[in-house]
Every structure is written in structure tokens, then in C-alpha cells.
Amino acid sequence: MVNFTQITVKDIAKEVKDNCLLGIPADYSGVPMSVTIEIIKNKTKGLRLYCLPLTTIQGDMLIGSGCVNEIETAAVTLGEYGQAPRFQDAIENSKINIKDSTCPALHAQLQATEKSVPFMPLRGILGSDLYKNRNDWVVIDNPMNNSNTNDEKIVILPAVKLDILIFHASKADINGNVQIGRRRELATLAHASKKVYVTVEEIVDEDFFDSELKAAATLPSLYIDGISLAKNGAWPCGLTDYYDIDTNEMSKYAKAAKYQETFDEYMRDFILQNNYSNI
Amino acid sequence: MVNFTQITVKDIAKEVKDNCLLGIPADYSGVPMSVTIEIIKNKTKGLRLYCLPLTTIQGDMLIGSGCVNEIETAAVTLGEYGQAPRFQDAIENSKINIKDSTCPALHAQLQATEKSVPFMPLRGILGSDLYKNRNDWVVIDNPMNNSNTNDEKIVILPAVKLDILIFHASKADINGNVQIGRRRELATLAHASKKVYVTVEEIVDEDFFDSELKAAATLPSLYIDGISLAKNGAWPCGLTDYYDIDTNEMSKYAKAAKYQETFDEYMRDFILQNNYSNI
Amino acid sequence: MTEIFQSEIIISEISNLLKDDKHVAIGAASPIPGSAALLAQEERKNTNLKLQVTILHSQKFNNFTDGSRELFDASAQGRIDTFFLGGVQIDGQANINLVGTGRYPKLDKRFSGSFGSALMYFVVPKIILFREEHTPRTLVKKVDFISAPGISPPNIYRPGGPKYLITNKALFSFNKKKKNFKIEKINPEFTLDEVIKSTGFEFKTNKNLKYFTMPSQKRIDVLRNLIAPKVLNFYPQFAKKLWFN
Amino acid sequence: MTEIFQSEIIISEISNLLKDDKHVAIGAASPIPGSAALLAQEERKNTNLKLQVTILHSQKFNNFTDGSRELFDASAQGRIDTFFLGGVQIDGQANINLVGTGRYPKLDKRFSGSFGSALMYFVVPKIILFREEHTPRTLVKKVDFISAPGISPPNIYRPGGPKYLITNKALFSFNKKKKNFKIEKINPEFTLDEVIKSTGFEFKTNKNLKYFTMPSQKRIDVLRNLIAPKVLNFYPQFAKKLWFN
């Protein structure tokens, strides 16, 4: 029926090797929760998370489950459900390393890789303690004469290439193209990743490139290494046009994650009664 | 009927002031030919054309009509219809200045403005005579340690902000959002322009943001200063999903443009019997 | 007259600060600023000066189509007039701390992180600092960690910066040259002395000190009937607690 | 056997050069390379090694969705295996000139311009230089203007570069270390001496010099029946002249 080899959520989780640099989409970009559970079940270790630009429950769960060694992010939060407790605990007790960043820097570092240039300049940042704690960021004198700011100092950020990106999306077509809509940060993430895996709600019997409108909303298959069907694959996070965030489950998680013991208990249940099909 | 003030093609042409830096879309991005004719009728002078990344009949006509002082481009060509004769003549006889460039540099200079950074790095270019003739391009030592190339030299390009961008598109909605489909270079152009005017084939009675799919193909009204209806506004160039390039007219132009006299004659007719409505 | 909630008064005050704006953007976790912006938009609907409101966490009120970097790009281009930033701590030089308290990186109490503040604070002309809690714990002499600095030397590109700070007790303006806050309005439930005692930094007082303006019944009606249902869509927890419980 | 056109033989030869590729991209004004890539794609349709072909000037064969910069970004990312470049002049060190002849900037004869060559030539692993006209005017000792250099010093990032040069008279390979071309195949209508005389630069000859391979009848059928109609869509002038007149 489809012109590509469909894989499973478990197959995708197996591609997430210990110590790899894993791309993490924001809560609005399609959080691959079904794969996250499998990664946790695999007891994957030493992950380095690169968030574009933040993470919510996905990052907090991975951290609480001991899968994470380092995180580069502009924020970890449960949004309306409060702070991210396992993240807080991990930082306050030095269990993981953190590269504190700011949203546009996380974008720019991937855009550098997208263009295969070694660095990107970015304004702002100077005077922030973020800069003091990043030895991979460099300040230079603006070498251009086109600035109105005399003797301008500007930060340059290194290109970052991800080992692997996983995200959840609404639809794939029969040729393995994926609909991302306005979530164009997923294109930047994919362009900057060595491997890209996607879970989708459905695979539809058409080619998105047959319509100019649909083509415009598509991440082409040429950037994608594998696709798995995963109904409710973002749950308890939401997915545009499919389902809203599950407020009950999020409240339940936020409460449980306050302590490691109650988190562990929650995770045991969560893994057992998970809501995803097509694993 | 619409929630924005519709203007005319003549109104748009009046916004193109003598000596301004004008953004020129490629032949596949929606060439605003109806406005181009009005610019020529206005005898606008001293234009500096910034092509992303090339121009065909639009640039050649403007040059042949004496409207242009300088052009920054990766190419001027009539494609399958041969070289661009008025451009060739202008260069061979030093009638205009040229900043010879290469496609990715023209993109990167606008992306710098899009991010409000003073410059963008770009690989390649070194060893090319393009570099020798650009005193706005600078070579630096790569300040990052993340490159596998020892003592790497890299070119940095200045941010370029356009005074005005004009392009032709298929549809605007009632709130002045414009459908650009996959032609995302138009978004980069718009983000990097002080003023943006668009001609469209039709204005449709809907809001593109009511559909996630249509939203993904949209340039939002917040970047747009004025919209005019112009049926066949790209003619004799083509417009995706609307009409193909007019091969007869292009052949006729290519032949006429060989000499200034025959070009002038052609232009007199072209202006008189122009095929655009809603001027 | 119906009872007016504290949050509604602050929404109303913030709304007044947006009066000359063309485009206000609302970032993560900002239900009160979001409500204020939508209120201002609604009240200007039939005037010549329309207000564009972009709420990042909403589908409907987000007119960006270039992915999540567009907010930062558009702001850097100068297309956003007002943006809101909060802070675990805010100090007298308008430095903000979104990262945590204690000694970085092993903090006593870690918070979410700096979000886009380290660029937005530099490029958006009118940054409104908003923190409901007004205590010596939140408004401090010196922040423990600078997520984004309140002021910058002249060799740093900085068209933007702090203009106001609003809390549940007072509204301050920030003077870039003098590098200090001045109190402009006070919540009538507090005295100036109480505000001074709950503020960890020194600020300039104001001879013309005004009280927070009570929103008119008309404004409250607009807020509750037209704005609240919109807010429910993208800040459900907040809206339910304030208006729909 | 039906008459086989010169252009079809070159299409067939180019098609053979693409055999291990996964993704071939075709830029502006390249009908012969475009036809060759579509031919290779068709012939591999039922194998495990599918060929992706991106033709920029086509709607249907363009799978990019990030605007016209995506070709350059994807190439710089190493995702394009083969790209084609032409040249008003090509010299013995594989420097190419797309700008014009004479002394820049006031040239004797101006051509279109350098297009994306100044990046593509550096980053795409297999660049095939293609110029039908094989005369001392096109293949020169030294180009008048270097749009993109054939070789670069070690401190320049350069994973890509010239691999082949094909004309209507011969196929050459390029040796990056020795910085020279070697002839690999010759059009049977010409002698090696004739090729030497029509080439403005010195090249290495080849003991195993082969002739251009005549395409099989099957390949010609595929080309004329399946590929030609596709090409008509995006290179109408070329396709009409060759196949539909």
C-alpha cells in the first residue's frame, strides 16, 4: 500500500543510542511521547537533549528516568502545570549537566548546520550570565562596517548537528512525506540532524506534492529515515487539529513528579497502561 | 468586502522611488510584470535591483528602459530564450554597475537582515573572482574550533535591507494575507524589506488562518504594505497553477531586445496593448 | 457594581500601557498580559489604529507561518512593539533572572529557564516586566543570575529594553539613563510605605503618584464576555480559575 | 534501428555516470542533464537503489519545500550526490567561467552569471561539468573569469568538486591531486587528434580510451516514450526541438 518501509515505535526507540545528541521538539511541535516511553523502557543512558527551544513532560520524564546526562535548552517547564520537578531536582542536585541557552540561540545553532557554516552571529546575549557559562560561545568584534553601533561586540554561536531527531506529526503520505503545517522549526531540526524518525497519527493514500498547498506544508521524505504509525502518539501532550493536551493527566503527572518515589510509581503505571497503539 | 485598503498597480509603482533598492523575485517566484510596466512608464531612474537570485525579462526590460543604475544578481538570462540582450549590452558598454554574486550569497544576505545580524558566513566563494570584485565581502579566520578544516578561511557577507519588494502571487484573503505556497524565498525577501507590495490574481472571501494547511502556505499581512488585484499580473512570465510562460511572447521579446531600436519599438507596443486588468 | 478581581485590575492597567502599539506579542505562560492585549485589541476594533496581537501558544491568535523562530526574527526586525517578560527575581537595574536562586549552576531552587529573554529584551522597544508577586524575594537588590541585563554599554546593539514593571502592588517606569525605576501608580489597597518595604531595591518616588485605575463596568463586561472565552482556549487553567469556576 | 540523435547519446552517457547516486539535482537551463537523471531514475525504478531527482525548474520533480535556498542548504548538508555545472569557458584546472569573456567588469561578451556555482562546486561530491560545444573557445587554457575554482587550498572547506567533464566530443575525468583532466571516452565521430586540437588545455590521454556507448534500443524507447514527455513540461523548447518537431 505505501511506497516506503513502515517501521514500529520500538524500531525508532532502538535507533536512540546511549550518549547520542537527541533533538527535542517543543510542546507545540509534536512531542513523540510514544517513542519516549520506549526509550525509557530500553533504559537508554547518557542522552544529551537539544531542545528547540524548550521541553515539557518529555524532557522531565527522560530526566526523571535517568536517561539524560546533559540538556541544552531555553527552558524546562510544565507550562500551566508548574515547574518541571524532575528537572529541578536533577539540577539542584547536580545529577545532569545543563547548557542554559535562549530560544533564538537554539534556532541559530541549527540554522548554521542547515547552511553548513561553522557559526552564526546573534545579537543580544551579552551582559547575560548565560554567556559566562557557555565556553562554546565566542564574542568577536563585528567585522562589518555596516553597523550603526560603533565597535560593536557580537556573539557567535557554533553549528550544532544532531545525531537523531524524533517528532510526532499528523500525517504521512504514501511516499513518506510528512505534513508539518506551520511547524517549520521541524524542518530546521530535520535539516540539522543525521537521522530523522517520525511517528504519525495516520498514513494517507495520496502524495502531498500533487497539491501545491499541501506541498507547502510538507517535510519531504528525503530528510526522513523512518516513519511509524502511532495513534495518540503525542499524548498527554496535544497535537494541532487532532487532540488537546490532556489536562487531567498533566495535573496527575505534575503532582506525581514532585518526588522521585511518586514519579517512579507514576511511571510504572504509565508504561503499563500506555495509550498508544501500533507500538 | 475586504478588511484592508485595496490599492492599484499604479499606486504600487509610485512607491518605487528613484534610486531605491528594489527586491526582484526569480522567474519562478511570481514576477510582478504589471507593476514593472508602470515603473517604466513613470520613467523611474537609478534603481538598484537586488535579485533573489536571478532575473529574466523583468530585469532586462527595466535595464533596457534606462531605469537601472546597479544590479546585484547571480544571473540575468532569458532561460530557454537565450541571453538577456539589454543586460548584456548594458554591461558590455558600462551603462550599469554590477555586483556579480552567487545564489546562496543573495539568500544569506537577506537572512542576515531577517535575523537582524550584521553579517552571515558562507562557505565556498573563495578562489572565485566574484570575491575579488566585491569590496563589501570580507574574509575572516573561522573563530570557532568546531571545524575539521584547519586554519579555515571563510567569507562573511553583509546584511542587506531592501527598500521595497514587489511580487505577484495567486491569492490574497479578506484580511490581506497572501498565499505563497512553496515559494518561501518570498517570505525571506519580505522579512528583509522596509516596504512590501503584492499584486494578486484574485482576492478570496476567506481567512487563510482558518485552515492550518492554508496558513502554512501564507505570508501574513503583517509584512505587507499594500495589495492590488492584477489579472495575468506575471504575464508573459508564468504563475504556478494559473498560467504557463507565454512562449510566443518570450520569443518575440528575445528577438526584439537584441537591439535598442527594436527593443524600444517592442516596448511601445507592449505598453500600449498590455494584457493586465485592474491597472 | 460587581466585584472586580485583582487580576482584572492588572489586566486593565496593562491594557492601558499598549495604547500606541501596532503589534504586541505574548510569549509562554503569560495569561494576564495575553488577556490585556486581547482587551486592548477589542477596544480598538473600530478605530483606525488596529492592534495586532500574536499569542504564541494559541493557534488562532498566532499569525506567524515561519515556525517558532519567527517571533525572534520579527522582533529583531523591529516589527514587535511590546513584549512581556517575567522573572523569578528582578532587580533595581532591571536585570531579570528566570533561571533560579542560589549559586549557578548548582542552584538552591531551579526555575524553568531564560526562554527568549536574552534576545527579546535587547530588540523590542517596549518591554513590560510583569511579576504578580511583589516581595523582597522577587524584587531584589541584585539578581542571583542575569538571564538578560536591564541596560547595556553603547557598543552593544540595543534598540529595545525595559519600559515598565507591573506587580500586584504597583506600576513602575524605568529610566534608561538614570538606570532606575520610578513608581507611577499604586494599588489602592497598599500604602507607599508598604510598597517600599516589599521592594528589595530602591526606586524613585513620584510626586504625582496615582492609584491603579478601576476598570469601568463596560471594560469588565468586554473582558468577561468577549475576552475570557478566548483566553480559555489557550490558557485553560488560568481562565477556569479566574472566570469559569 | 532508428536514427539516434547526438543529444541522446550524451544523455545516455551522463545517465551512466549517475549509477551509485541517491539524489541528483538539476539547476537552471540543463535539459540534457535533466533528461539523463530522469532516465536513470526510470531505469532504477524497480531496484533497491532508487534515485531521487530534483529538477528546480519543474513543479512536479521538485520535492523541496523551503524555497529556493533549499537546494543550496541541502547541498551544503551533503544531501545531494551529483550536480551539473556548465561554463562559457572551462579550463584545464577545472575552473569555470559563467560570467563572460574579456576583461571584467567591462566584458567583450557578457553571459548570464555565476548562478550557484560558487557554492555548489565546493560542496557537492560529484560535479559533472557539461558543455556541448567542444572548441578552443569553450575549453581554454585559462578562463577569463573564475566563477568557481576547480581546486582549493587545504584551508578551504571543500568536500565537493569536479569529477567529470562531458562535451559532444569526449568524456573526461578530473584528478584532484594532479589537477588535470584525463580523457575517458570519445565520440566515435572524432579522432583523438581532433579532440586534442579542439581543446585549449592539455589533458592526459588514456591507454584504455573507449568510445561513447550507443544507447540500446530499449533505452532509446524509454527515453522517447517516457522521459521526453516529462521533459516537455519544464524544458519545452528543448524537448520540442529534439523530440516533438
Side-chain angles (χ1 to χ4, degrees):
Chain A
M1 182 200 132
V2 296
N3 302 327
F4 62 90
T5 314
Q6 218 180 296
I7 60 176
T8 68
V9 168
K10 281 186 200 297
D11 293 334
I12 295 177
K14 267 182 230 145
E15 296 294 327
V16 182
K17 311 296 183 195
D18 287 353
N19 309 311
C20 75
L21 183 62
L22 174 64
I24 301 285
D27 52 336
Y28 44 74
S29 309
V31 185
M33 289 302 292
S34 66
V35 181
T36 302
I37 296 309
E38 294 302 315
I39 293 170
I40 290 169
K41 281 161 72 179
N42 289 346
K43 301 193 191 304
T44 310
K45 296 286 170 213
L47 294 181
R48 292 171 294 137
L49 309 185
Y50 188 97
C51 307
L52 188 71
L54 54 85
T55 184
T56 62
I57 189 173
Q58 185 191 11
D60 202 57
M61 266 193 185
L62 285 168
I63 291 168
S65 304
C67 303
V68 176
N69 187 37
E70 184 175 275
I71 184 167
E72 180 165 359
T73 191
V76 185
T77 165
L78 299 182
E80 280 213 293
Y81 308 89
Q83 297 294 325
R86 292 299 90 216
F87 163 72
Q88 290 186 301
D89 174 68
I91 297 296
E92 290 161 14
N93 297 293
S94 303
K95 293 177 185 171
I96 64 170
N97 296 325
I98 182 154
K99 292 165 95 169
D100 259 297
S101 188
T102 184
C103 309
L106 290 154
H107 286 282
Q109 291 179 166
L110 298 181
Q111 285 183 284
T113 302
E114 185 174 61
K115 300 193 101 54
S116 187
V117 293
F119 62 87
M120 276 278 168
L122 187 66
R123 276 167 166 160
I125 293 179
L126 287 167
S128 157
D129 287 339
L130 294 175
Y131 176 75
K132 280 195 204 159
N133 289 283
R134 293 291 301 245
N135 53 25
D136 53 342
W137 293 353
V138 174
V139 180
I140 62 169
D141 293 309
N142 175 6
M144 279 290 163
N145 300 321
N146 65 342
S147 167
N148 291 326
T149 307
N150 285 333
D151 307 317
E152 184 183 359
K153 299 278 179 194
I154 190 163
V155 175
I156 61 171
L157 312 164
V160 171
K161 186 180 265 180
L162 305 175
D163 291 320
I164 180 167
L165 165 70
I166 303 163
F167 68 89
H168 184 67
S170 54
K171 298 174 190 175
D173 71 10
I174 46 165
N175 291 315
N177 302 298
V178 169
Q179 193 170 305
I180 59 170
R182 279 192 277 170
R183 303 270 46 110
R184 297 203 60 80
E185 63 276 6
L186 292 170
T188 311
L189 276 164
H191 297 166
S193 293
K194 289 178 202 160
K195 294 275 176 189
V196 177
Y197 296 91
V198 186
T199 57
V200 293
E201 291 289 321
E202 50 180 328
I203 298 172
V204 293
D205 190 22
E206 60 178 311
D207 184 328
F208 294 147
F209 284 94
D210 289 342
S211 144
E212 184 64 17
L213 210 56
K214 287 182 181 168
T218 296
L219 178 69
S221 63
L222 75 103
Y223 297 101
I224 299 168
D225 295 281
I227 297 176
S228 166
L229 211 52
K231 288 247 189 254
N232 301 315
W235 177 83
C237 300
L239 183 67
T240 304
D241 288 347
Y242 280 74
Y243 40 87
D244 287 330
I245 190 167
D246 183 336
T247 58
N248 285 337
E249 191 64 31
M250 286 299 293
S251 302
K252 198 174 144 194
Y253 176 80
K255 201 175 155 203
K258 287 234 162 75
Y259 306 96
Q260 188 68 42
E261 297 71 34
T262 46
F263 169 82
D264 290 342
E265 214 169 284
Y266 173 92
M267 289 305 294
R268 270 194 297 276
D269 290 354
F270 192 80
I271 285 170
L272 282 174
Q273 37 169 289
N274 89 54
N275 266 344
Y276 318 108
S277 38
N278 311 87
I279 297 285
Chain B
M1 183 200 130
V2 296
N3 301 328
F4 61 92
T5 314
Q6 217 179 296
I7 58 176
T8 68
V9 168
K10 280 187 201 295
D11 292 334
I12 295 178
K14 265 181 233 147
E15 296 294 327
V16 181
K17 312 293 184 198
D18 287 353
N19 309 312
C20 74
L21 184 61
L22 174 64
I24 301 285
D27 52 338
Y28 43 75
S29 309
V31 185
M33 288 303 292
S34 66
V35 180
T36 301
I37 296 309
E38 294 302 315
I39 293 170
I40 291 169
K41 281 161 73 179
N42 289 349
K43 300 192 192 303
T44 310
K45 295 287 170 214
L47 293 181
R48 291 171 296 136
L49 310 185
Y50 188 95
C51 307
L52 188 71
L54 53 86
T55 184
T56 61
I57 189 172
Q58 184 192 9
D60 202 57
M61 265 190 185
L62 286 168
I63 292 168
S65 304
C67 302
V68 177
N69 186 37
E70 183 175 274
I71 183 168
E72 180 165 358
T73 192
V76 186
T77 165
L78 299 182
E80 281 212 293
Y81 308 89
Q83 297 293 326
R86 291 299 91 215
F87 163 71
Q88 291 186 301
D89 173 68
I91 297 295
E92 290 161 14
N93 297 294
S94 305
K95 293 176 185 171
I96 64 172
N97 297 326
I98 181 154
K99 291 165 97 169
D100 259 297
S101 188
T102 184
C103 309
L106 291 154
H107 286 283
Q109 291 179 166
L110 297 181
Q111 286 183 284
T113 302
E114 185 174 61
K115 299 194 101 56
S116 187
V117 292
F119 62 87
M120 276 277 169
L122 188 65
R123 275 167 166 160
I125 293 179
L126 287 167
S128 156
D129 286 338
L130 294 174
Y131 176 74
K132 281 194 205 159
N133 290 283
R134 293 291 301 247
N135 53 24
D136 52 344
W137 292 355
V138 174
V139 180
I140 62 169
D141 294 310
N142 175 6
M144 280 290 163
N145 299 322
N146 65 341
S147 166
N148 291 325
T149 307
N150 287 332
D151 307 317
E152 184 182 0
K153 299 278 178 193
I154 190 163
V155 175
I156 61 171
L157 312 164
V160 171
K161 188 180 264 181
L162 305 176
D163 291 320
I164 180 166
L165 165 70
I166 303 163
F167 68 90
H168 184 67
S170 54
K171 298 173 188 176
D173 71 10
I174 46 165
N175 291 314
N177 303 299
V178 168
Q179 194 169 99
I180 59 170
R182 278 192 277 170
R183 303 272 44 113
R184 297 203 61 80
E185 63 275 6
L186 292 170
T188 311
L189 276 163
H191 298 166
S193 292
K194 290 179 202 160
K195 294 275 176 188
V196 178
Y197 295 91
V198 186
T199 58
V200 293
E201 291 290 320
E202 49 180 329
I203 298 172
V204 292
D205 190 21
E206 60 179 310
D207 184 326
F208 294 146
F209 283 95
D210 289 340
S211 144
E212 184 64 16
L213 209 58
K214 286 182 182 170
T218 296
L219 178 70
S221 63
L222 75 102
Y223 298 101
I224 300 168
D225 296 281
I227 297 177
S228 166
L229 211 53
K231 288 248 189 252
N232 302 315
W235 177 85
C237 300
L239 182 67
T240 303
D241 289 347
Y242 280 73
Y243 40 87
D244 288 330
I245 190 168
D246 184 335
T247 58
N248 285 337
E249 191 65 29
M250 286 300 293
S251 303
K252 197 174 144 194
Y253 176 79
K255 200 173 155 203
K258 287 233 161 76
Y259 306 96
Q260 188 68 42
E261 298 71 33
T262 46
F263 168 84
D264 290 341
E265 215 167 281
Y266 173 93
M267 288 305 294
R268 272 194 296 275
D269 290 354
F270 191 81
I271 285 169
L272 282 175
Q273 37 168 290
N274 89 54
N275 266 343
Y276 317 108
S277 39
N278 312 87
I279 297 285
Chain C
M1 201 165 162
T2 49
E3 187 202 355
I4 295 176
F5 304 119
Q6 195 66 44
S7 300
E8 291 176 320
I9 298 169
I10 298 177
I11 288 170
S12 172
E13 279 297 341
I14 292 177
S15 182
N16 293 337
L17 299 178
L18 309 179
K19 72 170 178 304
D20 300 318
D21 294 344
K22 286 186 188 161
H23 193 164
V24 174
I26 309 292
S30 306
I32 287 179
S35 305
L38 290 175
L39 176 62
Q41 182 183 50
E42 182 64 31
E43 290 181 340
R44 276 203 242 149
K45 205 171 58 177
N46 297 317
T47 70
N48 280 331
L49 185 65
K50 303 249 186 302
L51 176 64
Q52 176 137 25
V53 177
T54 296
I55 296 177
L56 287 185
H57 270 65
S58 146
Q59 281 298 117
K60 192 162 170 48
F61 294 98
N62 181 346
N63 280 352
F64 288 148
T65 60
D66 204 24
S68 57
R69 72 162 177 257
E70 189 172 0
L71 169 68
F72 309 104
D73 289 352
S75 298
Q77 289 155 31
R79 297 182 198 267
I80 307 290
D81 300 310
T82 293
F83 190 72
F84 295 87
L85 288 171
V88 174
Q89 297 175 325
I90 298 168
D91 73 21
Q93 297 225 322
N95 297 309
I96 61 172
N97 170 11
L98 292 153
V99 159
T101 55
R103 210 185 149 91
Y104 190 86
K106 192 183 175 306
L107 297 156
D108 300 333
K109 181 81 179 159
R110 170 76 204 200
F111 287 84
S112 51
S114 303
F115 290 96
S117 64
L119 177 70
M120 298 299 273
Y121 213 20
F122 288 77
V123 295
V124 176
K126 192 201 291 173
I127 292 283
I128 301 176
L129 299 173
F130 169 63
R131 176 76 211 231
E132 265 190 292
E133 181 185 334
H134 187 146
T135 65
R137 179 179 98 124
T138 58
L139 303 189
V140 299
K141 195 168 183 65
K142 196 171 172 340
V143 295
D144 291 351
F145 182 96
I146 300 175
S147 285
I151 42 175
S152 297
N155 64 342
I156 303 295
Y157 177 84
R158 185 153 197 180
K163 285 285 182 296
Y164 298 103
L165 162 63
I166 185 161
T167 70
N168 63 1
K169 292 186 183 151
L171 168 70
F172 301 86
S173 62
F174 186 75
N175 187 312
K176 194 177 154 182
K177 279 194 188 144
K178 298 184 180 157
K179 303 173 188 178
N180 63 14
F181 284 106
K182 180 170 91 177
I183 192 163
E184 299 285 351
K185 282 189 171 189
I186 189 167
N187 183 334
E189 295 185 22
F190 301 93
T191 65
L192 180 58
D193 243 25
E194 284 173 308
V195 171
I196 289 172
K197 274 189 193 127
S198 32
T199 309
F201 56 78
E202 282 176 34
F203 55 85
K204 235 185 131 210
T205 51
N206 193 332
K207 274 184 287 188
N208 299 316
L209 186 60
K210 294 183 187 127
Y211 288 111
F212 277 2
T213 320
M214 280 300 122
S216 67
Q217 184 62 43
K218 194 178 159 201
R219 178 173 268 192
I220 286 295
D221 289 345
V222 169
L223 186 58
R224 292 182 184 176
N225 300 332
L226 300 177
I227 307 306
K230 293 180 183 174
V231 176
L232 186 64
N233 279 318
F234 44 89
Y235 291 119
Q237 302 294 90
F238 170 83
K240 277 180 201 160
K241 213 167 141 188
L242 183 59
W243 289 305
F244 298 95
N245 60 1
Chain D
M1 202 167 159
T2 48
E3 188 202 353
I4 296 175
F5 304 119
Q6 195 65 44
S7 300
E8 292 176 319
I9 298 169
I10 298 177
I11 289 169
S12 173
E13 279 297 342
I14 292 177
S15 182
N16 293 336
L17 299 177
L18 309 178
K19 72 171 177 305
D20 300 318
D21 293 345
K22 286 186 189 160
H23 194 165
V24 174
I26 308 292
S30 306
I32 286 180
S35 306
L38 291 175
L39 177 61
Q41 182 182 51
E42 182 65 30
E43 290 180 340
R44 277 203 241 149
K45 204 172 58 177
N46 298 317
T47 71
N48 280 329
L49 186 65
K50 302 250 187 302
L51 176 64
Q52 176 137 25
V53 177
T54 297
I55 295 177
L56 288 184
H57 270 65
S58 146
Q59 281 298 117
K60 192 162 171 48
F61 294 97
N62 182 345
N63 280 352
F64 288 149
T65 60
D66 205 24
S68 57
R69 72 163 176 256
E70 189 172 1
L71 170 69
F72 308 105
D73 289 352
S75 298
Q77 289 156 29
R79 297 182 198 267
I80 307 289
D81 301 309
T82 293
F83 190 71
F84 296 87
L85 288 171
V88 174
Q89 297 174 326
I90 298 168
D91 72 22
Q93 298 225 320
N95 296 308
I96 62 173
N97 170 10
L98 292 151
V99 159
T101 55
R103 211 186 147 88
Y104 189 87
K106 190 183 175 309
L107 298 156
D108 300 333
K109 180 78 178 162
R110 170 75 202 200
F111 288 83
S112 49
S114 304
F115 291 96
S117 65
L119 178 70
M120 297 300 273
Y121 212 21
F122 288 76
V123 295
V124 176
K126 193 201 291 175
I127 292 284
I128 301 176
L129 299 173
F130 169 61
R131 176 76 211 231
E132 267 189 293
E133 181 185 333
H134 186 147
T135 64
R137 180 179 96 123
T138 57
L139 304 189
V140 299
K141 197 167 182 64
K142 198 173 172 339
V143 295
D144 292 351
F145 183 96
I146 300 176
S147 285
I151 42 177
S152 296
N155 65 342
I156 302 296
Y157 177 83
R158 185 153 198 181
K163 285 283 181 296
Y164 298 103
L165 162 63
I166 185 162
T167 70
N168 62 2
K169 291 186 183 149
L171 169 69
F172 301 86
S173 62
F174 186 74
N175 188 313
K176 194 176 154 182
K177 280 195 186 145
K178 297 184 180 156
K179 303 173 187 178
N180 63 14
F181 284 106
K182 179 169 90 176
I183 190 164
E184 298 286 351
K185 283 189 171 190
I186 189 167
N187 183 334
E189 293 185 23
F190 301 95
T191 65
L192 180 58
D193 244 27
E194 283 174 310
V195 171
I196 291 172
K197 273 190 194 126
S198 31
T199 310
F201 56 77
E202 283 177 33
F203 56 85
K204 234 185 131 209
T205 52
N206 192 330
K207 273 184 288 190
N208 298 316
L209 186 61
K210 294 183 188 123
Y211 288 113
F212 278 2
T213 319
M214 281 300 122
S216 66
Q217 185 62 43
K218 195 179 157 199
R219 178 172 269 189
I220 288 294
D221 289 346
V222 169
L223 186 58
R224 292 183 185 175
N225 299 332
L226 301 177
I227 308 305
K230 293 180 183 175
V231 177
L232 186 64
N233 278 319
F234 43 89
Y235 291 119
Q237 301 294 92
F238 170 82
K240 276 181 202 157
K241 214 167 141 188
L242 183 59
W243 290 306
F244 298 94
N245 61 358

